[in-house]
Amino acid sequence: MEKGTEIDGYTRICGLIGNPVEHTMSPAIHNTLAREQGMNLAYVPFRVSPEQVEAAVRGAFALNLLGVNVTVPYKSQVMPFLEEIDPLARQIGAVNTLVRGERGFKGYNTDMPGLYRAMCEDGVDLRGESVLILGAGGAARAVAMLAAQKGAGEIVLLNRTEEKARKLAAEVNGAAGRNAARAMALGDYPKLPSQKQFLAIQTTNVGMFPKTEESLIEDDAFYRRVHTGYDLIFNPAQTKFMSLVEKGGGRAFNGLKMLLYQGIIAYELWTGRQVDGRQAEKAYGEMKNAMGI
Ligand code: NAP
């Protein structure tokens, strides 16, 4: 057996806790990276029921797991059971990566740095940009904090529940120390200043498999105002939102690279090793294979 794939007495385990976890692409990312780097590491998903979250975190530490990813719906719920929380994760209010410390895990958020790496690779610069965020949930929060931190000129949060967008805008402005973000009700998008072109980031579940024919906004006039669109959804790989952005003349990207890089950053935190471009490409290919695309 190839080095890095054989389970023996030295094998270190990393895993994912969430509910459900069966659909995850993370094993394809981490097991490929481990194999490519000759690391004796195996990554497995663990389905955890809501009343067992604390037991799962403490148990994972007791079992000497090297690292843990956390997914929906536990990204905030795990926080009280950690030894330490990275300031960025604290600001976002969600943790997706647990790294071993002396007496417990330290929590990080690699979703936001993952999206940032993907944007850098795609040549998208947030500085001075007019950013339109569709949604105001957990993912929108990370994206809005990223945009504010990287110097976006303005951030507009469009959400079905306007109150949630308003609350998030206030939190982002508080964290950034400037009035960068403002909220709008979803139906008010025609009131966006007509002379502006936006970088639009779609962070809702709308359009996700199996409801692939849906998009939060269907109006062509809206998409003519979008020069670049990111959909954080990665299944399907081409969402209706992306097709509408392209039809309007903009560039469109899905959430696959964000997913890849949040995994790579977690792997680097756990192992202390850097992932090079060739290894990242290999993991990306295996991830796409696992998704059948
Ligand atoms: P969340 O906290 O539950 O937030 C969901 C958001 O979607 C809310 O703003 C909600 O609006 C809106 N929404 C849901 N259904 C809607 C509908 N039918 N019409 C209008 N708005 C609707 O979820 P999340 O954790 O932010 O995750 C959102 C998406 O991001 C998921 O698709 C997830 O796969 C993706 N994601 C991708 C990555 C990646 O690595 N690519 C990482 C994280 C998340 P209300 O406030 O009005 O309810």
Side-chain angles (χ1 to χ4, degrees):
M1 215 182 241
E2 231 178 307
K3 197 180 170 201
T5 58
E6 191 175 358
I7 306 283
D8 62 18
Y10 295 93
T11 303
R12 297 302 303 272
I13 300 294
C14 291
L16 170 72
I17 64 174
N19 191 0
V21 289
E22 290 76 7
H23 61 282
T24 178
M25 294 303 133
S26 292
I29 301 173
H30 294 285
N31 291 322
T32 301
L33 294 177
R35 194 168 54 244
E36 288 298 306
Q37 294 202 338
M39 291 283 291
N40 193 346
L41 184 158
Y43 184 102
V44 281
F46 299 107
R47 180 195 270 254
V48 173
S49 57
E51 66 285 1
Q52 296 284 359
V53 173
E54 179 175 4
V57 172
R58 299 204 192 286
F61 189 78
L63 287 170
N64 198 30
L65 263 66
L66 180 62
V68 181
N69 279 145
V70 184
T71 190
V72 178
Y74 303 136
K75 288 185 182 184
S76 301
Q77 215 176 312
V78 296
M79 293 173 83
F81 314 124
L82 305 178
E83 178 189 45
E84 199 184 340
I85 295 171
D86 179 66
L88 179 65
R90 169 107 34 220
Q91 187 185 39
I92 297 169
V95 150
N96 77 326
T97 299
L98 310 186
V99 177
R100 290 189 75 78
E102 282 288 305
R103 293 174 309 281
F105 286 115
K106 177 171 178 180
Y108 290 85
N109 188 303
T110 71
D111 283 332
M112 182 175 125
L115 177 62
Y116 183 62
R117 266 206 215 178
M119 285 183 160
C120 290
E121 200 177 291
D122 297 331
V124 173
D125 190 352
L126 285 162
R127 273 173 303 175
E129 186 58 87
S130 295
V131 180
L132 193 57
I133 298 176
L134 305 182
R141 191 186 170 85
V143 172
M145 292 290 181
L146 173 70
Q149 196 192 79
K150 297 295 177 190
E154 69 167 329
I155 302 163
V156 182
L157 294 157
L158 269 180
N159 197 44
R160 176 177 62 179
T161 312
E162 190 182 359
E163 186 47 37
K164 265 170 77 179
R166 220 178 280 132
K167 198 161 165 266
L168 179 55
E171 286 175 40
V172 170
N173 290 337
R178 64 187 173 109
N179 267 347
R182 65 190 168 95
M184 275 177 90
L186 184 58
D188 283 345
Y189 69 83
K191 294 184 191 158
L192 287 165
S194 56
Q195 70 284 11
K196 276 207 174 132
Q197 287 277 307
F198 290 89
L199 162 63
I201 306 174
Q202 201 301 111
T203 74
T204 78
N205 311 313
V206 179
M208 200 153 80
F209 180 84
K211 296 186 174 171
T212 56
E213 282 314 303
E214 294 182 359
S215 179
L216 198 62
I217 298 173
E218 304 267 354
D219 182 358
D220 284 345
F222 169 78
Y223 291 94
R224 284 196 290 274
R225 319 272 300 282
V226 175
H227 65 75
T228 304
Y230 271 87
D231 198 329
L232 300 198
I233 291 174
F234 45 83
N235 184 15
Q238 177 77 19
T239 63
K240 176 94 179 281
F241 170 82
M242 292 167 63
S243 298
L244 289 167
V245 168
E246 285 168 354
K247 192 174 158 206
R251 296 198 302 158
F253 302 95
N254 62 24
L256 269 176
K257 285 228 173 108
M258 174 179 176
L259 182 69
L260 171 74
Y261 285 117
Q262 65 73 31
I264 286 178
I265 297 165
Y267 178 92
E268 290 175 341
L269 284 168
W270 293 332
T271 62
R273 294 192 179 195
Q274 293 296 303
V275 172
D276 66 26
R278 191 195 59 78
Q279 292 160 346
E281 204 45 54
K282 183 86 181 164
Y284 193 50
E286 288 301 324
M287 210 176 93
K288 289 199 281 189
N289 275 346
M291 293 181 73
I293 55 175

